[in-house]
Amino acid sequence: MSATASQSPTPTRAQLLAKSRSAEWRTPSPDNLLVMQLPSGRVLIELAPDFAPLHAANIRTLVRQHYFDGLAIVRVQDNFVTQWGDPASDDHGDKSKLRSLGKAHDTVPPEYTWAIDPKLEWTALPDGDVYAPEVGFSEGFPAARDPAIGQEWLTHCYGMVGVGRDNGPETGNGSELYVVIGQAPRRLDRNLAIAGRVLEGMPLLAGLPRGEGEMGFYTKPSQRTPIESVRLASELPAAQRPAIQVLRTDSPTFAALLDAQRHRHDAFYKVSSGKVGLCSVDVPVRRQVPPPATR
């Protein structure tokens, strides 16, 4: 019986997470964890190599070359995205000053969709979706699929990191990245590659001043937020690597969180929606819990 029917309060997120088992949490691979340092603090981004392997590999190459160090956040469009990269790549930038991509590829084949892989975890949401026949979570990322054509794809939910490009589908090489900071622009699904999602530091990206130029670009260099550095966690000394974990989306605790969100009823919520949208589900992240001391 649902919480709405029984009128008993649903458990809170904190209560459910407090009862989770350690095995229900996963530690992102340090080769897939980007550590971006801004003047205001640290942003952690988990790459999604199971879904965009070529883009993830190219981004790793750029990061190992310290490509992003000294570049900037160039665009913040309200209720849409924050974008970073080389300011010289702007339409009004000096192309002669573009930073070299080094060993990274200038073009990357589009990785907008892929064949449904039964080996990858899939946790379906039961309430339908406007943009896709099926939606759910795969490996911790919000995703959609169409069984009729055998394809699936990652979706443009809040905190997802996409690859900027020009009109040509292969022009998105990972040198310009953006993160969704507003209502989910799902119309972009299957039109741009999604390379990962922000695990920590979203307020640092979503709370920046909005650009006054077209599409939220900054009109003055002084308005841009500089990027101090971007590193793979695997490049850092072990003691400096972020100790962070993500709740497995195929875990009983995640299933309980979904159920509680769909049937929320408590002193404030008198009417339960009985549904949940894909992009309104936030996959929990926590600082890694150290193992108990042994004697």
Side-chain angles (χ1 to χ4, degrees):
M1 181 180 296
S2 70
T4 301
S6 67
Q7 298 297 300
S8 61
T10 52
T12 66
R13 179 185 175 96
Q15 289 170 336
L16 290 170
L17 292 179
K19 296 178 180 179
S20 66
R21 297 176 292 108
S22 59
E24 295 182 284
W25 296 83
R26 64 178 179 85
T27 301
S29 166
D31 284 330
N32 293 328
L33 192 61
L34 303 184
V35 182
M36 181 164 68
Q37 190 64 45
L38 301 177
S40 54
R42 183 182 74 173
V43 177
L44 300 181
I45 299 170
E46 182 180 17
L47 296 176
D50 285 337
F51 311 106
L54 300 179
H55 285 87
N58 218 43
I59 291 169
R60 288 194 204 96
T61 298
L62 291 168
V63 170
R64 291 189 177 107
Q65 296 172 166
H66 300 177
Y67 171 83
F68 292 100
D69 296 11
L71 296 186
I73 293 173
V74 297
R75 171 191 177 203
V76 182
Q77 187 171 355
D78 190 46
N79 200 31
F80 194 46
V81 301
T82 292
Q83 184 170 321
W84 59 95
D86 190 338
S89 67
D90 186 3
D91 289 342
H92 303 291
D94 185 349
K95 299 300 187 290
S96 68
K97 296 182 179 180
L98 278 171
R99 181 168 295 185
S100 169
L101 299 182
K103 296 180 180 180
H105 296 291
D106 183 55
T107 60
V108 178
E111 296 177 299
Y112 304 159
T113 67
W114 56 92
I116 293 175
D117 186 350
K119 296 189 297 294
L120 294 180
E121 171 260 320
W122 174 258
T123 299
L125 293 185
D127 301 316
D129 183 72
V130 174
Y131 294 91
E134 296 180 2
V135 293
F137 288 85
S138 188
E139 307 296 305
F141 296 95
R145 56 171 51 178
D146 186 347
I149 61 174
Q151 296 288 306
E152 60 185 337
W153 55 93
L154 295 183
T155 59
H156 279 79
C157 294
Y158 183 83
M160 295 295 280
V161 175
V163 178
R165 66 170 174 85
D166 292 327
N167 287 338
E170 296 189 350
T171 57
N173 56 35
S175 61
E176 290 190 10
L177 299 172
Y178 62 88
V179 62
V180 177
I181 63 168
Q183 294 293 323
R186 294 282 306 281
R187 64 188 182 278
L188 299 179
D189 293 356
R190 295 183 286 177
N191 286 286
L192 292 121
I194 296 179
R197 82 173 180 111
V198 173
L199 300 183
E200 181 182 282
M202 272 303 295
L204 305 180
L205 298 172
L208 291 169
R210 277 38 179 165
E212 297 176 353
E214 186 178 0
M215 299 175 64
F217 279 96
Y218 292 119
T219 56
K220 300 176 182 178
S222 60
Q223 296 172 313
R224 301 172 183 144
T225 297
I227 298 172
E228 295 180 355
S229 65
V230 180
R231 296 288 183 274
L232 288 168
S234 57
E235 297 180 288
L236 302 176
Q240 296 179 19
R241 294 178 184 176
I244 197 165
Q245 292 183 312
V246 183
L247 185 67
R248 295 183 62 93
T249 47
D250 59 350
S251 66
T253 294
F254 186 72
L257 285 169
L258 289 179
D259 185 69
Q261 190 164 346
R262 293 177 70 230
H263 301 295
R264 183 169 179 179
H265 185 89
D266 52 33
F268 184 85
Y269 281 85
K270 304 301 184 183
V271 178
S272 170
S273 66
K275 297 180 180 293
V276 65
L278 176 67
C279 290
S280 65
V281 177
D282 180 29
V283 179
V285 176
R286 73 177 185 182
R287 297 296 175 93
Q288 189 166 359
V289 178
T294 59
R295 296 183 179 180

